């Protein structure tokens, strides 16, 4: 038995009136301003929030179950991706995409009872579309997974569901793990979804820069990611690694594994191509068995059969495209590591390394770096006590004190068109990473210092401390210059008695030093830059910021910091 539109309106109005009975006056005014507002007697008890929302919840559940899932009383049909959805105009008008289509606009569908929607975005799937349409009917149960989230985001963006876009992006950011981060990075980098893609890329880079070296589970991610992303990340100042020597060790292991994988793929492709050519060669005998009349047809059929099996194999150009990887590996090793800050005995070890000698000439590179080490040492040790600066003016030196608490993204720091920012400098800056894991000591106000690192005749460390100013807690983070420890001997030591690791000493009272700090607090990274400042022994410079305090302890994990510093 068919149901008239009048019956439909009657059913809907009955449910609406049930909801109005317990709704607030403001709700009634907003949605049914023409209806009389019932007056409450003095003895009437005001409904609780749950009592007010309960009828709306029931209405929403009924609308989703009967209207969307069952298509009851449908008056508009949507066909998309091979699916047919029986929907309702009055519901679709709440969505900006359909509102423009159905509410008297220029679209021809506004007078039609059905529409076919063409979608050329490969990320949009039936699951994503169903999720978006279900939300229009009041379904608030969002069951996202790492597999479905990209599709839901793409569909939500297509249909203009901004709230669902934000919810999906938040899910992706929280879902980052060694198993998902590469897929999310490739998805967001490969498809331009505006600020949504930018947010996901930024979250992936922050996660990989903070955790990439420290977590062994992430090594396969670096072994599989596109080589240009590898180049941008592992050579960057904001990639957390304790020292430049450990950066070298990490990079070499990744490149070795990638080259083994690439070589294996090429061997497999060569074997497969060899089999295909053998099949082609065997066609000659097949054609000779054909009569003159059907020889052409037989040959065409045979060749066509073989073509269907080899046409999807990589072309020579595609196979040789991988050769570009060796060029990038050469750039990473030759330009992305500050060899002058690797101890000389470690440079000797690296000098004997021969595994990658076909892509980089290490001996010449290391000999040049060792010479530059000695130049820096000579410049420092020959300075007088009152010397403050050496007139080393490089483009990378910050010109002002800057706090990039918001606004500066790691994608800007790792700009693909501005790699190797320290290349060509007379003395590239020192880079090292520190970590603070005991957050309770920091929260209590205790000064917690990192390990000390040698640079240019002085020891340098980062320390953090909670400071309360006007009852507002702030996190202070500082760079401090420290004296070089000198071994004590009862008599003047011979050269053989000195430890091989004994560093030289900067005799200057004051240095003029610039620095940058990349501070990782949870899923956030803050960039602090200092123009050249005066450092006497034990003197420190840094920042005290309330936002750093909140984000540091909200994260509930260790604090990691990448340090870049240089003299001028």
């Amino acid at each position: 038995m068919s149901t008239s539109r009048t019956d439909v309106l009657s059913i809907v109005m009955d449910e609406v009136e049930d909801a109005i009975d317990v709704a607030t006056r403001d709700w009634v005014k907003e949605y049914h301003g023409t209806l009389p507002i019932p007056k409450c007697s003095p003895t009437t008890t005001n409904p609780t929030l749950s009592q007010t929302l309960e009828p709306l919840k029931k209405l929403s559940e009924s609308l989703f179950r009967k209207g969307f899932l069952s298509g009851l009383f449908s008056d508009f049909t949507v066909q998309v991706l091979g699916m047919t959805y029986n929907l309702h105009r009055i519901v679709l008008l709440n969505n900006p995409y359909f509102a423009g289509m159905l509410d008297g606009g220029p679209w021809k569908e506004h007078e039609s009872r059905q529409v076919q929607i063409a979608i050329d975005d490969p990320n949009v799937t039936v699951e994503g579309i169903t999720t978006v349409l279900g939300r229009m009917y009041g379904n608030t149960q969002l069951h996202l997974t790492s597999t479905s989230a990209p599709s839901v985001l793409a569909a939500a963006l297509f249909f203009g569901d901004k709230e669902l876009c934000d919810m999906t992006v938040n899910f992706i950011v929280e879902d980052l793990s060694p198993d998902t981060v590469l897929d999310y990075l490739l998805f967001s980098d490969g498809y331009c979804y505006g600020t949504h893609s930018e947010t996901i890329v930024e979250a992936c880079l922050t996660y990989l820069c903070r955790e990439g070296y420290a977590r062994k589970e992430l090594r396969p991610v670096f072994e599989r990611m596109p080589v240009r992303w590898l180049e941008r990340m592992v050579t960057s100042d904001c990639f957390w690694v304790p020292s430049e020597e450990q950066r070298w060790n990490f990079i070499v292991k990744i490149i070795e594994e990638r080259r083994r994988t690439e070589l294996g793929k090429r061997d497999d492709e060569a074997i497969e191509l060899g089999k295909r050519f053998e099949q082609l060669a065997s066609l000659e005998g097949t054609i000779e068995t054909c009569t003159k009349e059907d020889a052409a047809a037989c040959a065409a059929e045979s060749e066509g059969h073989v073509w269907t099996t080899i046409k999807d194999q990589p072309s020579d150009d595609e196979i040789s495209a991988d050769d570009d990887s060796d060029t990038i590996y050469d750039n990473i090793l030759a330009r992305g590591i500050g060899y002058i800050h690797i101890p000389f005995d470690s440079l000797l070890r690296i000098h004997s390394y021969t595994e990658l000698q076909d892509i980089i000439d290490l001996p010449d590179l290391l000999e040049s770096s060792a010479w530059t080490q000695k130049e820096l040492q000579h410049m420092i040790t020959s300075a007088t006590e009152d010397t403050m600066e050496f007139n080393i003016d490089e483009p990378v030196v910050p010109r002002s004190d800057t706090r990039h608490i918001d606004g500066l993204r790691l994608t800007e720091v790792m700009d693909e068109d501005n790699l190797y920012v320290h290349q060509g400098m007379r003395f590239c800056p020192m880079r090292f990473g520190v970590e603070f894991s005991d957050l309770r000591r920091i929260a209590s106000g205790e000064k917690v210092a990192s390990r000390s690192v040698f640079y240019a005749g002085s020891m340098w460390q980062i320390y953090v401390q909670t400071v309360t100013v006007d009852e507002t807690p702030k996190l202070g983070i500082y760079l401090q210059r420290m004296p070089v420890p000198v071994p004590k001997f009862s008599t003047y030591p011979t050269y053989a008695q000195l430890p091989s690791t004994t560093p030289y000493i900067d005799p200057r009272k004051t240095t003029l030093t610039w620095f940058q700090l990349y501070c990782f607090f949870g899923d956030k990274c803050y960039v602090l830059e200092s123009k050249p400042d005066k450092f006497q022994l034990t003197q420190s410079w840094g920042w005290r910021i309330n936002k750093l305090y909140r984000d540091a302890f909200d994260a509930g994990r260790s604090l990691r910091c990448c340090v870049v510093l240089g003299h001028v």
Side-chain angles (χ1 to χ4, degrees), residues 3 69 82 96 109 142 148 286 303 317 402-403 425 503 525:
T3 306
L69 296 182
E109 287 81 5
L142 192 60
S148 67
T286 304
E303 290 178 355
D317 290 340
T402 309
R403 301 183 305 177
M425 294 180 60
C525 179

Side-chain angles (χ1 to χ4, degrees), residues 159-420:
F159 288 103
D161 191 335
K162 183 180 182 304
E163 182 182 18
L164 182 56
C165 287
D166 293 340
M167 293 167 61
T168 307
V169 169
N170 290 338
F171 169 84
I172 290 175
V173 170
E174 295 175 0
D175 189 47
L176 293 179
S177 71
D179 295 327
T180 63
V181 63
L182 182 56
D183 289 337
Y184 285 140
L185 176 62
L186 297 180
F187 160 73
S188 52
D189 181 52
Y191 296 92
C192 184
Y193 294 142
T195 57
H196 307 300
S197 290
E198 293 173 1
T199 300
I200 298 172
V201 168
E202 185 70 12
C204 291
L205 295 186
T206 302
Y207 177 77
L208 289 171
C209 284
R210 183 187 191 278
E211 304 288 342
Y213 175 84
R215 297 184 62 177
K216 287 187 172 16
E217 315 94 275
L218 284 168
R219 299 293 171 91
V221 174
F222 290 90
E223 294 165 5
R224 292 167 43 221
M225 69 171 52
V227 67
R228 296 195 179 277
W229 270 117
L230 176 72
E231 181 183 29
R232 292 171 69 177
M233 252 180 274
V234 299
T235 63
S236 172
D237 292 348
C238 56
F239 182 73
W240 188 88
V241 60
S243 69
E244 214 64 9
E245 181 178 356
Q246 287 163 294
R247 186 188 299 267
W248 152 265
N249 293 334
F250 178 84
I251 289 175
V252 164
K253 289 178 182 177
I254 295 298
I255 291 178
E256 286 178 348
E257 186 58 36
R258 288 177 67 97
R259 295 192 82 210
R260 277 194 289 269
T261 302
E262 290 164 2
L263 184 61
K265 287 182 178 178
R266 293 181 190 182
D267 289 344
D268 292 342
E269 290 166 357
I271 293 172
E272 188 64 25
L273 284 173
K275 292 180 180 178
R276 300 307 180 215
F277 284 121
E278 288 178 3
Q279 293 180 20
L280 282 173
S282 67
L283 291 178
E284 183 178 355
T286 304
I287 295 174
E288 289 176 353
T289 63
C290 302
T291 63
K292 291 182 179 180
E293 290 76 9
D294 60 7
C298 182
E301 179 181 356
S302 300
E303 290 178 355
H305 170 71
V306 175
W307 171 244
T308 60
T309 63
I310 69 171
K311 66 180 180 179
D312 294 327
Q313 297 299 318
S315 67
D316 289 341
D317 290 340
E318 289 171 327
I319 293 175
S320 63
D322 285 341
D323 293 341
D324 188 46
S325 297
D326 284 351
T327 301
I328 296 178
Y329 296 153
D330 184 9
N331 282 335
I332 293 174
L333 293 170
R335 305 165 64 193
I337 300 173
Y339 291 96
I340 72 167
H341 301 299
I342 296 178
F344 184 75
D345 56 340
S346 296
L347 289 183
L348 291 176
R349 174 184 62 82
I350 296 173
H351 191 278
S352 62
Y353 177 79
T354 59
E355 184 70 23
L356 300 176
Q357 61 184 355
D358 59 324
I359 63 173
I360 184 172
D361 185 3
L362 274 177
D364 285 350
L365 174 65
L366 297 176
E367 288 166 15
S368 174
S369 298
W371 178 266
T372 306
Q373 273 188 359
K374 292 302 181 182
E375 278 191 300
L376 178 61
Q377 178 177 344
H378 175 73
M379 183 180 70
I380 296 294
T381 56
S382 62
T384 66
E385 193 177 73
D386 296 327
T387 302
M388 186 180 301
E389 58 183 306
F390 299 111
N391 296 317
I392 304 174
D393 188 14
E394 300 287 357
V396 299
V397 176
R399 304 301 171 182
S400 62
D401 296 333
T402 309
R403 301 183 305 177
H404 294 290
I405 302 300
D406 297 299
L408 182 66
R409 294 174 172 266
L410 292 190
T411 46
E412 299 175 42
V413 178
M414 290 184 277
D415 185 2
E416 193 170 15
D417 298 326
N418 194 31
L419 295 176
Y420 309 114

